[in-house]
Amino acid sequence: MHLPEFPQREADENHLIPLINIVFLLLIFFMVAGALSSQDVFDVEAPDSSIEEEVNDEGWLVLLGEGGASGLRE
């Protein structure tokens, strides 16, 4: 019995293109869906000051060192 020989497929990567397209579409979908979802926002109430006079804060510079030491300059 003689069976017909089928032509051999060439080793090409054209069968990967639809898979790559689907992966990119899913990536775009999840990026957009993640950007649209909002996080729960809660109100933050600032603490009241115990000092009644205003402080001039235009000339302050706070310096922090490696060991956590801090210094203030006016």
Side-chain angles (χ1 to χ4, degrees):
M1 180 170 172
H2 181 53
L3 297 176
E5 292 184 21
F6 293 105
Q8 296 292 325
R9 285 191 190 181
E10 294 181 16
D12 61 347
E13 296 182 5
N14 288 337
H15 60 279
L16 289 179
I17 292 175
L19 177 65
I20 293 171
N21 288 339
I22 291 173
V23 168
F24 279 127
L25 286 174
L26 287 172
L27 177 68
I28 291 170
F29 172 76
F30 285 116
M31 286 174 59
V32 170
L36 293 179
S37 65
S38 64
Q39 298 177 357
D40 294 334
V41 179
F42 53 91
D43 294 330
V44 176
E45 189 173 321
D48 293 328
S49 175
S50 60
I51 301 174
E52 294 187 15
E53 59 189 56
E54 291 187 24
V55 177
N56 183 7
D57 60 352
E58 291 182 18
W60 291 89
L61 175 66
V62 178
L63 302 173
L64 295 176
E66 278 186 36
S70 64
L72 294 175
R73 290 187 191 169
E74 283 192 54

